[in-house]
Amino acid sequence: MTKDKNKINSFELMAFHFKNELKAIFTDSGAVLILVGALLIYPLLYSFGYFNEVLTDLPIGVVDLDQTATSRKYTNMLDASRDVEVSYNPQSLKEAEELFMANKIDGVLLIPKGFQKNVLSTKQANVAVYADGSYLLKYKTFYTAAQTVNAYFGAGVGVQHYLAEGKSLRQAKVSASPLSIQTHMLYIPAGSYGSFIMPGLIIIIIQQTLLIGIGIMGGTFSESKGSPFRLPENKRRREIIPLVLGRVGAYLLISAFNICLALIIIHDWFNYPDKGNMFDVLMLLFPFLLAVIFFGIGLSTFFKHRESAIVFMMFLSPIALFLSGISWPVSAMPDWLVGLSKILPGTTTVPAYLRLRTMGVGITEVKSEVLKLYLQAGSYAILTIAYFYIRLYVGKIRK
């Protein structure tokens, strides 16, 4: 016997829309691919791409115009470093340029004629580094390797000269290098690029796939010309909140699976930094997911076709990545752009998440970000629900 629709309570309505939304999602192959498949494909693809973590054995060419024992020693020291590999020994800069243009090497180091003579006579000796400035990582890797070799090579030459003057080995070392610098890499000791970028990138992937998936469902529903309501027309005002909350619950359930997959399993597989308490991490992610889902549901009502949602959200994705501060420090952005970026929940979440997961701070250290996310979620919830009321009211007037 069918229950009278007028007597259905709010919890039953919420359960109905929860199950209805899940059914709609899992019968739509495109939505499943975006909401579930993408959270498996993207983190794995990027993680495997950054699997080596650091750029090593960068192929370079050394043009040795001096051709002495000292210049060969310098070349061997450079080749022995982890960062670069001396793959070619061109006889001239012209030949080195041809190798570079053929993409066989990523940089050139020139040892000028008279290098050994200057070193042995305690005169200033120079080497020239031609690095690929169009690619920051290659440039930084080669330049850092050359600087490191210069420091060790110069210190070794200084020690030999001071020993020749009759000083002890300890005195020679101190004289050659009077200032000792100790460098400590905090939080990511290996300085690996993958461990730096992937944790924050996964948060952006979660945000964007949720927005795209919700947008697709909104566009699909608009195309169907159907009504989301179950109650009769004169009772629909009380169904709006259960409708929105039911849909939110469906996306939260899917997000719970994605969180387990992307932020726990994949995080552990690739040994990304994990100094945080998982309960604290979940306390941050819950308002983040709420804000994203409410924002997505509200935004999805404007899409009349599912293709429109895909195009708009894909257009938004690189902007979201940039504004998160992963690729460029937020402190270096204009104030108006920083303010505009707060529209997206990921902008607030990424730095807080990195502090929890990578730096190991407690939830109290990011409580302001948590409060901002709850305020953001609440604001988007109010706007979304208000929009449904307005649409319903306007629809009645038009009739």
Side-chain angles (χ1 to χ4, degrees):
M1 185 175 180
T2 306
K3 187 173 181 178
D4 186 354
K5 291 183 178 181
N6 292 308
K7 296 180 180 179
I8 299 175
N9 62 45
S10 297
F11 289 105
E12 289 174 317
L13 285 171
M14 190 165 62
F16 168 79
H17 289 294
F18 171 79
K19 290 186 291 184
N20 196 48
E21 191 71 17
L22 283 178
K23 181 181 178 181
I25 291 169
F26 286 102
T27 54
D28 188 320
S29 58
V32 172
L33 179 62
I34 294 296
L35 290 169
V36 181
L39 260 296
L40 175 63
I41 296 170
Y42 281 121
L44 280 177
L45 181 65
Y46 282 115
S47 296
F48 278 119
Y50 295 125
F51 189 73
N52 290 329
E53 295 280 6
V54 292
L55 189 61
T56 59
D57 294 329
L58 189 72
I60 65 166
V62 174
V63 181
D64 186 358
L65 300 180
D66 198 44
Q67 293 294 325
T68 59
T70 303
S71 65
R72 284 190 289 272
K73 181 181 178 181
Y74 182 93
T75 301
N76 290 336
M77 288 181 66
L78 188 64
D79 190 40
S81 69
R82 181 189 68 169
D83 298 328
V84 299
E85 177 185 358
V86 180
S87 303
Y88 292 89
N89 293 99
Q91 299 304 305
S92 66
L93 277 178
K94 180 65 177 176
E95 185 181 342
E97 182 181 356
E98 291 173 356
L99 289 170
F100 181 82
M101 292 303 178
N103 205 31
K104 293 182 178 180
I105 56 176
D106 293 308
V108 179
L109 186 134
L110 172 67
I111 302 177
K113 195 172 182 60
F115 177 78
Q116 177 175 272
K117 180 180 178 181
N118 289 334
V119 168
L120 296 179
S121 63
T122 68
K123 291 182 180 179
Q124 181 78 50
N126 299 304
V127 294
V129 174
Y130 298 88
D132 185 0
S134 66
Y135 202 126
L136 182 61
L137 280 178
K138 291 181 179 180
Y139 167 82
K140 179 178 177 294
T141 299
F142 184 21
Y143 184 71
T144 301
Q147 277 192 317
T148 303
V149 170
N150 282 352
Y152 279 103
F153 187 83
V157 171
V159 168
Q160 289 180 351
H161 280 294
Y162 286 119
L163 286 174
E165 293 177 359
K167 293 184 178 181
S168 66
L169 179 61
R170 181 178 177 278
Q171 289 174 323
K173 287 182 177 179
V174 172
S175 298
S177 183
L179 181 62
S180 177
I181 300 176
Q182 294 184 348
T183 303
H184 300 278
M185 296 286 289
L186 301 176
Y187 312 122
I188 306 178
S192 53
Y193 191 75
S195 295
F196 152 70
I197 199 169
M198 278 308 299
L201 183 59
I202 290 175
I203 296 294
I204 299 301
I205 292 173
I206 290 173
Q207 172 183 271
Q208 293 309 113
T209 51
L210 259 177
L211 291 177
I212 294 172
I214 295 171
I216 287 175
M217 296 307 298
T220 302
F221 182 78
S222 295
E223 289 178 354
S224 71
K225 307 295 184 181
S227 171
F229 297 102
R230 186 183 183 189
L231 295 180
E233 188 175 332
N234 61 336
K235 301 289 184 181
R236 287 176 179 175
R237 291 186 63 183
R238 74 177 184 89
E239 190 179 354
I240 290 177
I241 293 178
L243 165 67
V244 173
L245 294 183
R247 294 184 65 189
V248 169
Y251 291 112
L252 277 177
L253 181 63
I254 293 173
S255 298
F257 169 78
N258 290 335
I259 292 292
C260 291
L261 175 66
L263 297 182
I264 298 177
I265 297 176
I266 292 179
H267 208 95
D268 183 64
W269 280 353
F270 292 94
N271 294 316
Y272 294 133
D274 190 6
K275 298 182 176 68
N277 181 287
M278 185 51 62
F279 181 73
D280 291 346
V281 172
L282 294 177
M283 287 182 67
L284 171 70
L285 293 179
F286 180 68
F288 161 69
L289 292 174
L290 284 179
V292 172
I293 293 169
F294 277 120
F295 179 59
I297 291 174
L299 202 59
S300 69
T301 58
F302 293 97
F303 298 125
K304 302 304 178 185
H305 305 280
R306 57 191 286 134
E307 294 80 7
S308 303
I310 297 173
V311 171
F312 178 78
M313 293 304 180
M314 292 302 290
F315 164 77
L316 188 63
S317 294
I319 298 175
L321 177 62
F322 175 74
L323 294 179
S324 68
I326 297 175
S327 61
W328 184 253
V330 176
S331 58
M333 296 181 190
D335 291 339
W336 66 268
L337 191 57
V338 174
L340 186 64
S341 71
K342 300 304 179 183
I343 294 174
L344 297 171
T347 308
T348 302
T349 307
V350 168
Y353 176 78
L354 294 179
R355 290 174 66 194
L356 284 174
R357 204 83 191 262
T358 304
M359 299 173 64
V361 304
I363 191 65
T364 55
E365 301 297 323
V366 295
K367 62 182 180 182
S368 62
E369 286 86 351
V370 173
L371 290 174
K372 287 177 184 177
L373 287 170
Y374 272 114
L375 287 172
Q376 198 170 36
S379 300
Y380 287 144
I382 292 170
L383 289 173
T384 300
I385 292 170
Y387 176 77
F388 274 98
Y389 274 109
I390 292 169
R391 285 287 297 269
L392 190 61
Y393 180 70
V394 170
K396 284 184 177 181
I397 289 177
R398 286 177 180 172
K399 289 182 179 181

